Amino acid sequence: GQQVMQIPQYQHVQEGEDFTTYCNSSTTLSNIQWYKQRPGGHPVFLIQLVKSGEVKKQKRLTFQFGEAKKNSSLHITATQTTDVGTYFCAGLMDHAGKSTFGDGTTLTVKP
Amino acid sequence: NAGVTQTPKFQVLKTGQSMTLQCAQDMNHEYMSWYRQDPGMGLRLIHYSVGAGITDQGEVPNGYNVSRSTTEDFPLRLLSAAPSQTSVYFCASSYSRGLAAYNEQYFGPGTRLTVT
């Protein structure tokens, strides 16, 4: 079926280092959403990207949507221990009625 | 607003038992969905609904039933529990324009289900 691939699966960084997770789809996406799930918690919406080439920033987080609307990335500058958790992308395929989640990237930050 | 609520938080079932996971939202959202999350994996869509009286299957619907008699409630029924259904179940809702979930999804706190 239609899939959204997310890499890497795990990322361990030292506090202060940067972090990036990537999301790729084989088909064009109408939009892509990013969620964060803290350990033991539930997914919480971060942002939605809709336009080709769109870039949005939230403090230390930068989100990009590819020109072809088939890939996206989340970049965190100077990670902090509060950034710990799993980051999921969710892509809405054209003509689909529902989003497909990637498997997530789990970020651990060593103080 | 309470947002999305789920009950119970934890449940242990024996193989073959049936049960209903409850989900309710007070945001007047049209779109509601059920996901399961297995360890180290993403969220897989079980069933979803675009409005009262309308439901559809997701990626992994087998062994589960849903109904949507009101806008607020979207219960998930396990017909005959199996160990493979051990998972964390999340309910989510979203304001939808048309037939697609074009807006952010609000997730409930989850139900942790173990089937022995």
Side-chain angles (χ1 to χ4, degrees):
Chain A
Q2 296 167 326
Q3 286 189 324
V4 173
M5 307 302 293
Q6 196 172 349
I7 56 170
Q9 187 174 5
Y10 300 98
Q11 186 76 55
H12 311 283
V13 301
Q14 194 78 31
E15 189 172 20
E17 292 181 336
D18 292 355
F19 159 76
T20 305
T21 173
Y22 300 90
C23 197
N24 296 292
S25 170
S26 56
T27 59
T28 304
L29 302 172
S30 294
N31 68 32
I32 193 154
Q33 298 174 342
W34 286 92
Y35 293 80
K36 178 183 180 180
Q37 184 178 25
R38 294 183 185 276
H42 59 275
V44 174
F45 175 82
L46 294 176
I47 210 159
Q48 176 172 280
L49 304 172
V50 180
K51 299 177 183 177
S52 168
E54 189 170 14
V55 178
K56 288 188 176 180
K57 293 189 177 183
Q58 290 180 348
K59 297 183 180 178
R60 293 178 295 104
L61 277 62
T62 301
F63 304 85
Q64 293 187 333
F65 202 8
E67 294 291 340
K69 300 183 71 175
K70 289 185 176 181
N71 55 72
S72 180
S73 65
L74 158 59
H75 179 81
I76 302 178
T77 303
T79 55
Q80 300 175 359
T81 55
T82 54
D83 294 326
V84 164
T86 301
Y87 293 85
F88 292 98
C89 62
L92 178 63
M93 277 75 175
D94 284 347
H95 311 300
K98 49 199 181 294
S99 295
T100 299
F101 278 81
D103 283 343
T105 296
T106 298
L107 172 65
T108 56
V109 180
K110 188 175 182 181
Chain B
N1 287 352
V4 180
T5 58
Q6 290 184 240
T7 57
K9 290 186 179 180
F10 301 93
Q11 183 71 50
V12 179
L13 292 178
K14 294 184 186 295
T15 297
Q17 288 185 316
S18 62
M19 79 160 295
T20 299
L21 308 184
Q22 301 292 345
C23 174
Q25 52 89 11
D26 61 358
M27 298 174 281
N28 202 31
H29 285 168
E30 296 175 10
Y31 185 95
M32 296 186 74
S33 53
W34 276 102
Y35 295 88
R36 61 176 288 173
Q37 184 176 35
D38 300 312
M41 296 184 68
L43 296 146
R44 290 185 291 170
L45 184 65
I46 304 172
H47 286 286
Y48 66 101
S49 169
V50 298
I54 306 170
T55 63
D56 206 347
Q57 295 181 349
E59 303 167 66
V60 289
N62 292 341
Y64 308 94
N65 274 358
V66 292
S67 60
R68 185 94 180 269
S69 55
T70 67
T71 299
E72 294 78 18
D73 300 297
F74 191 43
L76 177 72
R77 281 183 290 277
L78 279 70
L79 308 174
S80 177
S84 61
Q85 293 179 305
T86 294
S87 190
V88 180
Y89 291 84
F90 289 103
C91 177
S93 74
S94 171
Y95 168 73
S96 79
R97 293 173 285 175
L99 295 177
Y102 283 104
N103 295 282
E104 64 180 284
Q105 294 195 69
Y106 294 81
F107 284 82
T111 293
R112 283 150 180 80
L113 175 68
T114 301
V115 182
T116 61

